[in-house]
Amino acid sequence: SEEQEKVNHELISLNNELEMLTFTLSHDIKNPLSIVKLGSQMLQLNAKMTKDEVYKWSKTIQEATQSIENLVDSSLVFTQAKSYIFKKIDIQITPIIRKVINESRLMYEKNSCEFVCGNLLPLYGERNLLYQVFLNIIGNAIKYSANKEFPKIEIYSYMDDNHVIYNIQDNGIGIPESDLLTIFEIFKRSNNAKQFNGSGVGLALVKRILDRLDASAKIESIEDGGTLIRLYFPKSPHMTPIN
């Protein structure tokens, strides 16, 4: 019956919300939490730190703590409604990208990784959700480029008639062609990624978030030849159309 179908649809929707809550609390919070732990250890064990170094690590801990708080706050919304209702606004992405780069470098101890950032256009969405998207994708780019002598990641954006498109390109291990079709599924990892720690949750969470933002992703990758992830976000109604 229509009523039964409606109930089933609501149950599926609620289950998806609970899965996103679980993924966020179990996966994405680990990154800033690890940075807090690392920063605390550095402050405890390095008595000869300069004032500038102490300030830098204290600021890093504060920013990571704020990230945890933001993720928890947005995740708790899932428990208060059947669907995560949020207001889309125009968001400057440059500060988010810088924050994610700094956190990912600390997480994977890859200060040698070269980042080339081009034009970073604003996006129409929700700040914490966008932070999670870029945290997972840039974190993966650093992690899976870790064995390269000169790891390099390029990030830039541009517009077409309907979208703001973000490209994140790395020169890491790449993804085998046979794994590309399932890479966004929960607990799916590429066959050549077994040497790296991971749960197969990150990209599944990215897919769920992009669906919420009316956005999408495409992956181009060659095994041992790097990966390009292309993110398609809807254009803001406040953006000037392309002539």
Side-chain angles (χ1 to χ4, degrees), residues 1 17 23 25 31 58-59 67 91-92 154 158 166 194 199-200 204 210 238:
S1 68
E17 304 299 339
F23 294 165
L25 294 180
N31 284 1
S58 298
K59 185 178 179 182
S67 294
I91 296 172
Q92 294 298 323
E154 298 180 58
Y158 55 94
Y166 264 77
K194 294 178 181 179
S199 60
L210 291 177
H238 312 116

Side-chain angles (χ1 to χ4, degrees), residues 12-13 31-32 66 69 90-91 96 124 151 177 180 194 210 234:
I12 292 171
S13 177
N31 284 1
Q66 185 64 56
E69 184 177 346
D90 293 318
I91 296 172
I96 292 177
Y124 190 58
E177 185 177 359
L180 285 174
K194 294 178 181 179
L210 291 177

Side-chain angles (χ1 to χ4, degrees), residues 9-239:
H9 179 76
E10 290 180 352
L11 286 173
I12 292 171
S13 177
L14 180 58
N15 184 62
N16 288 338
E17 304 299 339
L18 292 174
E19 280 190 346
M20 282 190 69
L21 171 63
T22 302
F23 294 165
T24 298
L25 294 180
S26 66
H27 186 266
D28 283 1
I29 284 180
K30 285 183 179 179
N31 284 1
L33 191 60
S34 296
I35 291 169
V36 171
K37 182 178 179 180
L38 175 62
S40 301
Q41 291 172 340
M42 292 295 293
L43 291 174
Q44 282 183 324
L45 300 176
N46 291 273
K48 295 182 180 180
M49 273 189 179
T50 65
K51 288 184 178 180
D52 286 344
E53 289 172 331
V54 170
Y55 174 79
K56 177 183 175 182
W57 277 107
S58 298
K59 185 178 179 182
T60 299
I61 291 172
Q62 289 175 352
E63 290 176 348
T65 303
Q66 185 64 56
S67 294
I68 294 171
E69 184 177 346
N70 291 341
L71 287 171
V72 170
D73 286 345
S74 60
S75 297
L76 287 177
V77 177
F78 296 143
T79 67
Q80 298 168 0
K82 292 182 180 179
S83 60
Y84 181 21
I85 301 171
F86 57 87
K87 181 179 179 181
K88 287 184 179 181
I89 60 173
D90 293 318
I91 296 172
Q92 294 298 323
I93 296 300
T94 300
I96 292 177
I97 296 291
R98 287 176 178 167
K99 179 180 177 64
V100 167
I101 287 173
N102 290 336
E103 290 181 353
S104 298
R105 276 177 163 161
L106 287 172
M107 275 292 301
Y108 300 108
E109 299 179 348
K110 270 295 169 186
N111 287 323
S112 62
C113 184
E114 178 186 2
F115 279 89
V116 178
C117 292
N119 190 25
L120 303 178
L121 294 168
L123 290 175
Y124 190 58
E126 199 274 339
R127 187 178 305 277
N128 292 324
L129 294 181
L130 290 171
Y131 165 79
Q132 286 181 265
V133 169
F134 286 106
L135 178 69
N136 277 287
I137 293 177
I138 293 174
N140 280 352
I142 291 182
K143 178 167 67 173
Y144 295 122
S145 302
N147 293 340
K148 292 289 181 178
E149 185 176 2
F150 300 107
K152 181 179 180 180
I153 297 167
E154 298 180 58
I155 306 169
Y156 60 94
S157 64
Y158 55 94
M159 285 191 294
D160 66 13
D161 290 336
N162 300 308
H163 301 94
V164 176
I165 302 165
Y166 264 77
N167 284 1
I168 299 102
Q169 170 88 57
D170 67 59
N171 64 344
I173 63 172
I175 302 169
E177 185 177 359
S178 59
D179 294 327
L180 285 174
L181 292 177
T182 60
I183 200 65
F184 284 107
E185 294 180 11
I186 183 66
F187 304 131
K188 294 288 186 178
R189 303 188 71 207
S190 59
N191 290 321
N192 61 340
K194 294 178 181 179
Q195 59 182 306
F196 299 92
N197 290 329
S199 60
V201 165
L203 287 182
L205 180 57
V206 166
K207 177 65 168 60
R208 295 281 179 89
I209 292 173
L210 291 177
D211 288 344
R212 288 298 181 77
L213 295 171
D214 299 316
S216 60
K218 293 182 180 178
I219 293 185
E220 299 174 16
S221 189
I222 300 173
E223 190 169 4
D224 296 324
T227 298
L228 167 63
I229 295 186
R230 192 171 279 124
L231 304 173
Y232 294 82
F233 296 96
K235 284 174 63 175
S236 166
H238 312 116
M239 275 189 169

